[in-house]
């Protein structure tokens, strides 16, 4: 049955399940009893990244999507978004009015997949392990505000925070706070390789070729006790080298659903020329793309160079040429669908303006053209990334103010080089850990930030971010966030480019597709089933 593109309308934190589908109950792939899902995420173990699935190391959307199926957290964000609810816990909440003491009570009878009992001491061990290892690739910054952790018997755990943080429930709902067994995870060392286990909804086995995972198999964990309701017994997540082979596998019936990452051309084709038995589904997305800067590198150390770049980049041209109908210009680190958003870059620089950029450089005594290299990753965000950087290069060089080259590097090498400060200018994307303005600010500006950036603004780091976290009503934090966005637009430690939509394509006998990916790009594979939706 030919299907049109199905759009799932949403406001932030709310998805409306409007998907209608038809199909036979035994169709949708040749994967036996498993529902097979395709992805272009690559899972690679290298010398610099030896432990892709260790919660103390993993901090990218692909690895977290593996962990979310396998490990359990005290809380999780419900299927349609909103505030976190208990999962391994039976109840959680702040015990003080300052949002500095957070208490959770565990469900009774919790066990790891191997049958070992799970207690409050395991939760304490797991969180303290991330803080102790403090891997510079990992998510330690999400937990760094924890001062002490205390347990009371087997079922109660209390987190005492250094400073108030109303977003803390979101942070412990991420794999940064995954509960692991001290019998299989060492307190001070990463667990190398592709093993991952816990008390989550599935157990994990992997198939590898060399240093890469080609298939991750998730099998229903009979020991799981939590808030999630599994609609299937087994899922296979297959990693494809490119989107074309993934699409072919879907049309051939070898997989039932394809997700991260569909390319603009595929989305356009599947929308205008729907394939028999396949639905294209548009979902709300909170992904952003940006240019990052090593502000200590001589090329871009002068703020004037970064401001001039901000004054000439044409976001509308970039989105329309590379990501038609799938992206829109972004003028802030905070997406326009998140409370606290302000078009700070547009307010400061307006439309692309060569004379303004030339004046900025001239006033700072910067000789032109400014030579620089735009670095991008070839295999993490999809093949359209190369075209994106070709368009950026053309925009910059056409002004005669810049002499820009571009250079692509595979992700397994790119990320480590970026963290080591080997790139003056680099392009990256951000998929939020949780849908709050804090998670578009702190990972870039706070101590132990995701980029390992040398840029420091004391007002943002020491005053505004802490102030924003005191507000239990997140709308009340808009003032600090607006000021932070003004600082970023003025100093340009990062340059936001665009905000994207999400798409998945699925065979029409697969149910639950509307819940399979949330707005933060988290895979919720337990929602998938077979039959008539």
């Amino acid at each position: 049955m030919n299907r049109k593109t199905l759009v799932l309308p949403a406001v932030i934190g709310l998805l409306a399940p409007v998907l209608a589908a038809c199909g036979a109950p035994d169709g949708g792939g040749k994967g036996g009893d498993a529902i097979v899902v395709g992805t272009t995420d690559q899972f690679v173990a290298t010398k610099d990244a030896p432990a892709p699935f260790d919660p103390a190391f993993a901090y990218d959307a692909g690895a977290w999507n593996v962990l979310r199926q396998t490990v359990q957290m005290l809380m999780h964000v419900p299927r349609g978004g909103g505030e976190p609810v208990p999962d391994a816990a039976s109840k959680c909440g702040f015990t003080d009015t300052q949002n500095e003491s957070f208490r959770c009570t565990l469900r009774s009878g919790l066990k790891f997949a191997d049958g070992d009992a799970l207690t409050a001491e395991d939760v304490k061990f797991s969180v303290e392990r991330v803080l102790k290892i403090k891997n510079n690739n990992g998510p330690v910054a999400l937990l760094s505000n924890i001062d002490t952790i205390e347990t009371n018997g087997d079922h109660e755990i209390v987190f005492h925070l250094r400073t108030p943080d109303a977003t803390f429930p979101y942070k412990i709902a991420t794999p940064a706070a995954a509960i692991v067994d001290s019998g299989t995870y060492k307190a001070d060392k990463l667990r190398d390789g592709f093993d991952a286990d816990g008390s989550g909804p599935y157990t994990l086995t992997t198939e590898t070729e060399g240093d890469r995972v080609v298939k991750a198999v998730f099998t229903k964990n009979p020991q799981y006790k939590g808030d999630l309701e599994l609609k299937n017994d087994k899922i296979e997540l297959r990693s494809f080298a490119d989107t074309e082979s993934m699409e072919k596998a879907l049309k051939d019936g070898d997989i039932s659903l394809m997700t991260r990452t569909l390319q603009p051309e595929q989305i356009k084709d599947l929308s205008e020329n729907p394939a028999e038995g396949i639905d294209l589904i548009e979902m709300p997305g909170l992904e952003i793309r940006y240019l990052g800067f090593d502000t200590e590198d001589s090329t871009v150390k002068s703020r004037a160079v970064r401001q001039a770049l901000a004054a000439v980049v044409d976001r509308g041209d970039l989105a329309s040429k590379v990501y038609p109908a799938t992206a829109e210009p972004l003028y802030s680190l905070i997406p326009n669908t998140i409370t606290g958003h302000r078009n700070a870059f547009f307010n400061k620089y307006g439309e692309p303006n060569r004379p303004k950029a030339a004046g900025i450089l001239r006033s700072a005594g910067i000789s032109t053209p400014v030579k620089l290299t735009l670095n991008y990753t070839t295999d993490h965000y999809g093949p359209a990334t190369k075209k994106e950087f070709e368009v950026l290069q053309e925009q910059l060089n056409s002004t005669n103010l810049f002499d820009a080259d571009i250079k692509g590097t595979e992700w397994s090498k790119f990320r480590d080089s970026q963290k080591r400060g080997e790139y003056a200018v680099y392009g990256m994307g951000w998929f939020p850990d949780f849908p709050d303005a804090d998670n578009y600010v702190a990972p870039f500006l706070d101590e132990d930030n995701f980029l390992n950036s040398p840029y420091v603004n004391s007002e943002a780091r020491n005053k505004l971010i802490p102030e924003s976290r005191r507000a239990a009503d997140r709308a009340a934090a808009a003032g600090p966030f607006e000021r932070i966005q003004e600082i970023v637009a003025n100093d340009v430690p990062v340059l936001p480019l665009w905000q994207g939509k999400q798409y998945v394509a699925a065979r029409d006998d697969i149910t639950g597709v509307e819940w399979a990916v949330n707005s933060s790009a988290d895979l919720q594979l337990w929602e998938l089933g077979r039959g008539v939706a």
Side-chain angles (χ1 to χ4, degrees):
M1 177 178 181
N2 286 331
R3 309 290 306 188
K4 295 181 179 179
T5 302
L6 299 171
V7 180
L8 301 182
V11 295
I12 197 68
L14 181 63
L15 276 171
V18 298
L19 181 65
C22 61
D26 60 347
K30 301 173 183 177
D33 61 344
I35 295 175
V36 186
V37 175
T39 179
T40 56
D41 284 328
Q42 303 295 306
F43 310 111
V44 185
T46 66
K47 181 180 178 180
D48 290 325
F53 297 153
D54 189 315
F57 179 85
Y59 198 19
D60 66 85
W64 270 21
N65 279 333
V66 171
L67 288 175
R68 288 184 190 279
Q69 322 307 314
T70 311
V71 297
Q72 191 175 21
M73 284 69 75
L74 289 168
M75 307 184 79
H76 78 104
V77 176
R79 52 152 53 168
E83 295 183 359
V85 297
D87 187 23
S90 59
K91 61 179 180 179
C92 287
F94 285 104
T95 60
D96 66 326
T97 58
Q98 298 299 313
N99 297 331
E100 289 183 313
S101 183
F102 193 80
R103 184 186 308 267
C104 287
T105 302
L106 296 181
R107 296 176 187 266
S108 61
L110 286 176
K111 295 180 179 180
F112 291 106
D114 63 4
D116 288 350
L118 189 162
T119 70
E121 284 297 327
D122 292 299
V123 180
K124 185 174 187 288
F125 166 82
S126 301
V127 174
E128 288 182 342
R129 176 177 180 269
V130 176
L131 293 170
K132 184 175 185 178
I133 292 175
K134 200 177 181 179
N135 185 272
N136 67 357
N137 180 84
V140 64
L142 289 173
L143 306 176
S144 60
N145 192 35
I146 296 173
D147 185 18
T148 60
I149 304 172
E150 65 174 294
T151 60
N152 182 14
D154 288 342
H155 291 91
E156 190 171 85
I157 186 160
V158 184
F159 300 91
H160 299 288
L161 308 182
R162 291 188 174 90
T163 58
D165 186 3
T167 71
F168 186 71
Y170 286 98
K171 293 172 181 176
I172 62 167
T174 72
I179 306 168
V180 299
D181 191 343
S182 60
T184 51
Y185 289 81
K186 295 183 179 180
D188 57 357
K189 185 179 179 182
L190 294 174
R191 186 179 182 183
D192 292 354
F194 298 111
D195 291 330
D197 48 58
S199 57
Y202 298 98
T203 60
L204 170 69
T205 58
T206 59
E207 293 184 15
T208 61
E209 291 181 0
D211 59 359
R212 297 174 182 267
V213 171
V214 294
K215 182 190 297 184
V217 181
F218 303 103
T219 304
K220 186 176 181 179
N221 175 15
Q223 304 287 3
Y224 172 71
K225 284 189 175 182
D227 190 56
L228 304 177
E229 179 184 350
L230 277 65
K231 307 298 196 307
N232 59 73
D233 292 329
K234 183 181 285 188
I235 294 280
E236 289 183 10
L237 184 66
R238 294 186 187 173
S239 180
F240 288 84
D242 54 74
T243 56
E244 291 78 14
S245 58
M246 181 169 63
E247 181 181 354
K248 183 178 186 302
L250 179 69
K251 291 180 176 179
D252 289 348
D254 294 326
I255 64 175
S256 298
L257 181 147
M258 67 175 186
T259 179
R260 288 170 41 99
T261 304
L262 279 68
Q263 295 308 303
E265 295 82 1
Q266 289 177 304
I267 294 166
K268 183 175 185 293
D269 182 61
L270 287 169
S271 177
E272 296 178 354
N273 306 291
E276 185 72 25
I278 293 175
D279 296 321
L280 176 68
I281 302 101
E282 178 188 320
M283 298 174 170
L286 294 175
E287 171 192 9
I288 68 169
R289 297 285 179 89
Y290 59 91
L291 291 179
F293 303 100
D294 179 355
T295 54
E296 291 299 312
D297 189 284
S298 59
T299 308
V300 292
K301 187 171 185 177
S302 170
R303 182 172 63 184
V305 173
R306 306 192 302 271
Q307 289 180 330
L309 285 165
V312 296
V313 165
D314 190 335
R315 296 167 176 82
D317 177 67
L318 181 68
S320 64
K321 286 182 177 177
V322 186
Y323 302 101
T326 66
E328 58 185 71
L330 180 64
Y331 296 93
S332 169
L333 274 177
I334 301 173
N336 58 26
T337 47
I338 293 286
T339 300
H341 165 82
R342 182 183 179 91
N343 284 323
F345 275 83
F346 187 85
N347 294 342
K348 182 170 181 62
Y349 301 101
E351 298 288 350
N353 189 325
R354 185 197 179 282
K356 176 179 284 191
I360 292 171
L361 294 171
R362 185 169 53 252
S363 296
I366 304 294
S367 299
T368 58
V370 177
K371 293 181 66 68
L372 48 81
T373 299
L374 309 179
N375 292 274
Y376 68 94
T377 175
T378 57
D379 59 345
H380 195 64
Y381 304 115
T385 308
K386 180 181 180 182
K387 183 178 179 182
E388 176 180 350
F389 275 74
E390 289 172 343
V391 172
L392 285 171
Q393 179 188 31
E394 181 182 4
Q395 288 182 1
L396 298 181
N397 291 348
S398 67
T399 67
N400 295 319
L401 300 175
F402 296 95
D403 180 7
D405 292 325
I406 60 173
K407 181 181 179 182
T409 306
E410 65 181 58
W411 178 253
S412 60
K413 298 177 182 178
F414 176 90
R415 178 69 171 118
D416 295 308
S417 296
Q418 179 271 314
K419 287 185 297 180
R420 287 193 293 263
E422 295 177 12
Y423 302 145
V425 188
Y426 52 88
M428 290 182 64
W430 179 251
F431 298 85
D433 306 321
F434 51 91
D436 186 276
D438 178 270
N439 198 238
Y440 289 92
V441 169
F444 301 92
L445 304 178
D446 213 351
E447 189 176 3
D448 296 323
N449 62 75
F450 167 74
L451 297 177
N452 197 28
S453 171
Y455 171 79
V456 176
N457 181 279
S458 57
E459 181 186 1
R461 181 175 292 184
N462 301 326
K463 178 179 182 291
L464 297 171
I465 292 176
E467 182 182 341
S468 73
R469 289 173 175 169
R470 294 190 187 99
D473 177 1
R474 301 309 292 154
F481 286 131
E482 288 181 2
R483 173 59 185 149
I484 289 171
Q485 290 166 93
E486 291 173 353
I487 290 171
V488 172
N490 185 66
D491 291 355
V492 201
V494 291
L495 178 58
L497 297 173
W498 55 266
Q499 173 182 349
K501 300 176 183 178
Q502 292 187 115
Y503 291 84
V504 299
R507 302 196 67 84
D508 62 10
D509 69 322
I510 298 300
T511 62
V513 177
E514 70 272 32
W515 302 117
V517 184
N518 68 15
S519 61
S520 298
D522 303 333
L523 283 182
Q524 303 175 141
L525 298 179
W526 51 84
E527 297 285 357
L528 298 176
R530 278 196 173 93
V532 178

